[in-house]
Amino acid sequence: MLGPAGAAAATVRYLGHGPVPVAPPARPRLRCVPEDERAPVDPAEFRRVLGNFASGVTLVTAPAPEDGPGPAGRSDSEDGPGPAGYACQSFASLSLDPPLVCFMVGCSSTTWPRISRAGVFCVNVLGAGQDELCRAFAVSGADKFAGVAYDPAPVSGAPRLAGTVAWIDCAVHAVHAGGDHLIVVGRVTALGTDGTDRPLLFHRGRFARLADG
């Protein structure tokens, strides 16, 4: 199985396009903490403290393979024929010039290989009333797009879900290793918002909404 660095490198090799690689600056040697060493931060405490940072909620989607759906028409299995997607809180804007965004995905994700192979994705920013849609996309192995209204994003063709507060169409620009996650940088090719709804938030393990006022 590929480690984080190998997965990132494999993605870059697969894409085969983008900017000319630049030698990275010197960095400290990375190593795992052996079992006989005390980890510097308890994982449960890490989650508890970081959970105080409220975030928006997105669904990152990718188009179906170019050869199209098979007879079953099922989407979002590990090697399924339909579109792919997963729920993501770890999303942020990165650069204005050029326009870049980023999201983080676990190295064990079964959806990321499909996004990687597509080389493009659409970030759908969920509205305050779309918590059930988010829960549906958080289930691994399910047909996440069953009964979900969407149209193709204008450049990537990835699912642009109905009712979201904003969407950002992207091409994979770079992938970096980040511990047990991959940091995916996307170059924005199109985006839009209708500005008519409030965003869905996630805080301390629960969905939340902006208060009136």
Side-chain angles (χ1 to χ4, degrees), residues 49-55 89 202-204:
V49 173
L50 271 294
N52 287 278
F53 179 71
S55 70
Q89 296 165 244
F202 196 76
H203 180 240
R204 292 184 177 179

Side-chain angles (χ1 to χ4, degrees), residues 2-23:
L2 291 175
T11 297
V12 173
R13 288 196 301 271
Y14 181 87
L15 292 173
H17 64 272
V20 176
V22 176

Side-chain angles (χ1 to χ4, degrees), residues 178-201:
D180 57 7
H181 278 59
L182 296 173
I183 304 164
V184 182
V185 179
R187 184 162 188 140
V188 178
T189 54
L191 73 172
T193 179
D194 60 17
T196 59
D197 200 3
R198 299 186 178 193
L200 180 65
L201 303 178

Side-chain angles (χ1 to χ4, degrees), residues 87-178:
C88 176
Q89 296 165 244
S90 301
F91 167 76
S93 61
L94 179 61
S95 168
L96 183 61
D97 185 15
L100 302 175
V101 297
C102 64
F103 69 88
M104 279 61 80
V105 60
C107 294
S108 61
S109 168
T110 58
T111 302
W112 163 245
R114 299 191 58 203
I115 300 174
S116 173
R117 287 193 293 269
V120 293
F121 60 90
C122 183
V123 179
N124 297 269
V125 181
L126 297 187
Q130 294 185 304
D131 45 314
E132 288 303 321
L133 177 61
C134 181
R135 289 189 180 95
F137 271 73
V139 177
S140 179
D143 186 359
K144 301 174 184 178
F145 290 89
V148 176
Y150 64 88
D151 64 354
V155 180
S156 71
R160 181 174 59 178
L161 307 180
T164 59
V165 298
W167 56 271
I168 306 98
D169 205 9
C170 302
V172 176
H173 181 74
V175 183
H176 306 283

